[in-house]
Amino acid sequence: MADPRRVEFGDFLRSRREKLSPKSVGLPAGRRRRTAGLRREEVAQLAGIGVDWYIRLEQGRTVSPSVTTVDALARALRLSKTEHAHLKALARDGARAAFVPEIVPPPIRRMIESLMQPAYITGRRWDVLAWNAAAEEVFGQLPEQDRNTLLLVLTNKQTRKFYGAGWTEVAKSMVAMFRATHDVWAGDPAFTELLTRLRQGSPEFVKWWEAHEIRSTASGLKTMNHPTKGVLRFEHTSFQANDDPALKLVIYTPV
């Protein structure tokens, strides 16, 4: 059975290849193309590797590309710094233990509870592990099985109304950021279960997921139409915990 991470590695290569035109990489258009993007042999040529070797990589075969090969592919496919880092992460070998939900240390839990602005802690699967009263006041209470930021934004109808016209950009950006995390955990039962729920609960998610976009986590501004508080504007920022880098603290500062 193929390694799910290698499958994601190949799928990512294909998705980037299909977004490039010969002109964008300095190649002649040549004969008529049945599909969009570069041909496999063109990517192999640009990266300086064999066509058969590249095909094996894109097919998700169990092969281990060297750092030099990954860097060459990143240059050939015009990957951004974030996309390049993602490709390197997928190329790494090594056994991986099954996903286990993180535990928030008491000092961190007490710290967020003391904050006046909305704040919460998420783990690698984007589950909400701890939050404060201000966050509950804005986002409301959720059943334990739904305490996940992706489920909240993508499958909750009230949240969609909450973000109004800005929902599409917020949701699409979250999918691209989560994709970078998911691919490293591809095949893990916990991530597979979450992916199934997202596919079943959001038609938009299915479309965005297939695009295989990758983004890094970034601060930003969110506008929300709260049912009782009216229009709310927040700057959101995230931080990793030294106790456990898998834990991410997210703080919403009112604007």
Side-chain angles (χ1 to χ4, degrees):
M1 183 179 294
D3 182 340
R5 282 182 297 180
R6 289 289 183 261
V7 173
E8 296 295 350
F9 182 95
D11 184 61
F12 185 57
L13 290 178
R14 179 191 53 75
S15 68
R16 299 309 96 179
R17 172 174 64 82
E18 292 176 350
K19 288 180 178 294
L20 293 175
S21 66
K23 182 178 180 181
S24 67
V25 296
L27 294 176
R31 63 186 186 275
R32 185 178 179 182
R33 295 167 186 262
R34 292 179 294 177
T35 58
L38 297 179
R39 297 189 178 95
R40 288 170 170 175
E41 57 266 29
E42 290 171 331
V43 176
Q45 175 189 338
L46 290 169
I49 62 177
V51 177
D52 289 342
W53 177 246
Y54 176 78
I55 290 174
R56 288 170 64 85
L57 290 173
E58 196 171 293
Q59 289 177 340
R61 303 281 188 87
T62 308
V63 291
S64 299
S66 65
V67 173
T68 302
T69 298
V70 172
D71 291 344
L73 288 169
R75 289 191 297 271
L77 294 168
R78 306 301 194 261
L79 299 187
S80 67
K81 183 183 294 186
T82 298
E83 291 170 331
H84 188 177
H86 181 61
L87 196 66
K88 287 196 288 187
L90 292 178
R92 295 191 189 106
D93 288 319
R96 182 195 63 207
F99 172 80
V100 176
E102 301 83 0
I103 297 175
V104 180
I108 294 180
R109 189 179 293 273
R110 287 192 290 270
M111 181 272 293
I112 66 167
E113 289 172 352
S114 71
L115 296 176
M116 300 301 293
Q117 61 266 56
Y120 55 85
I121 300 286
T122 61
R124 289 162 295 186
R125 209 182 71 134
W126 291 34
D127 298 310
V128 181
L129 305 172
W131 60 95
N132 62 8
E136 187 168 305
E137 189 175 349
V138 172
F139 298 105
Q141 295 182 335
L142 290 173
E144 185 174 356
Q145 68 272 16
D146 294 336
R147 291 173 189 166
N148 179 282
T149 54
L150 290 156
L151 292 173
L152 177 64
V153 172
L154 285 153
T155 68
N156 188 299
K157 293 180 180 179
Q158 292 303 316
T159 304
R160 185 163 185 156
K161 293 179 181 178
F162 199 45
Y163 283 106
W167 178 85
T168 298
E169 179 54 34
V170 170
K172 189 176 183 180
S173 177
M174 288 180 67
V175 171
M177 289 187 287
F178 178 66
R179 183 89 212 212
T181 302
H182 164 274
D183 288 2
V184 178
W185 286 89
D188 184 275
F191 280 80
T192 300
E193 184 269 336
L194 176 59
L195 209 60
T196 298
R197 291 191 63 185
L198 291 167
R199 284 193 170 113
Q200 292 174 345
S202 173
E204 293 90 348
F205 173 81
V206 175
K207 177 179 66 175
W208 296 332
W209 192 254
E210 293 303 320
H212 214 141
E213 295 296 334
I214 300 293
R215 293 190 195 180
S216 57
T217 303
S219 303
L221 180 69
K222 287 184 179 179
T223 300
M224 306 171 185
N225 302 303
H226 198 275
T228 60
K229 297 177 177 296
V231 177
L232 302 175
R233 292 184 177 86
F234 293 101
E235 286 181 333
H236 62 92
T237 312
S238 61
F239 308 87
Q240 281 184 304
N242 287 333
D243 300 63
D244 182 355
L247 298 177
K248 184 171 69 175
L249 166 65
V250 182
I251 299 177
Y252 282 70
T253 304
V255 177

